[in-house]
Amino acid sequence: MKRVAILSSGSGSNAQALIEYFEACENIHVVYVGSNRPKAEVLERADRAEVNNGVFSKSDLLDGTLKDNLDILGVDWVLLAGFLLKIPGDFCNRYKERILNIHPSLLPKFGGKGMFGMNVHKAVYEAREKESGMTIHFVNESYDEGAIVFQGRVDISNLKSPEEIASKVLKLEHKYYPKISEELITLAEE
Ligand code: GRF
């Protein structure tokens, strides 16, 4: 049994997709949903799903408190799902190749500092891209630069706004993030 923590700063629709998917998995259990934002909707989603959840501060992340708390919970893997703070080096080392992120573009395009949420989709729209998608990657100390493990693509040539792109990409994220993380976790732990 592998124990997973999900970190999210916002709405948490991906976190919910992960929780629901792993409910049916025998070998993976979501033991914690954490947010740096006390009012983040992800915490309500975790409550409704009856998953242990809590709030931590930026300094908890930076000074090792969060890492120590995840150790106490016996967390093996960390899945970032709309988590906006930068992950410090000692946290990355603790979860080396056991920490994943999802990004709503085809990295390395439209990644890096400031590229999150609608900023990404607006930039994609303004660049008149014909295709967009989502990327699942390992996390290192630089935003959006860890090794890419999976990309899902969608045709956006007929879409008329950044919002339409966001909606299409989000569907892809919900479809693939749970499935690909399950495959990776299962493979790595065999
Ligand atoms: C997703 O687009 C994800 O790729 C990005 O932030 C967004 C989070 O959406 N990192 P949600 O909070 O999962 O609804």
Side-chain angles (χ1 to χ4, degrees), residues 19 25 27 33 39 63 72 80 111 115 170:
I19 291 168
C25 274
N27 61 329
V33 171
K39 291 191 177 156
D63 69 13
I72 292 166
L80 307 183
M115 278 295 171
L170 193 64

Side-chain angles (χ1 to χ4, degrees), residues 108-135:
K109 281 180 150 184
F110 308 102
K113 202 166 165 50
M115 278 295 171
F116 59 87
M118 283 309 292
N119 294 354
V120 176
H121 303 298
K122 278 181 190 147
V124 168
Y125 183 73
E126 277 158 23
R128 299 175 188 219
E129 294 287 305
K130 302 250 174 301
E131 180 182 63
S132 190
M134 45 74 76
T135 301

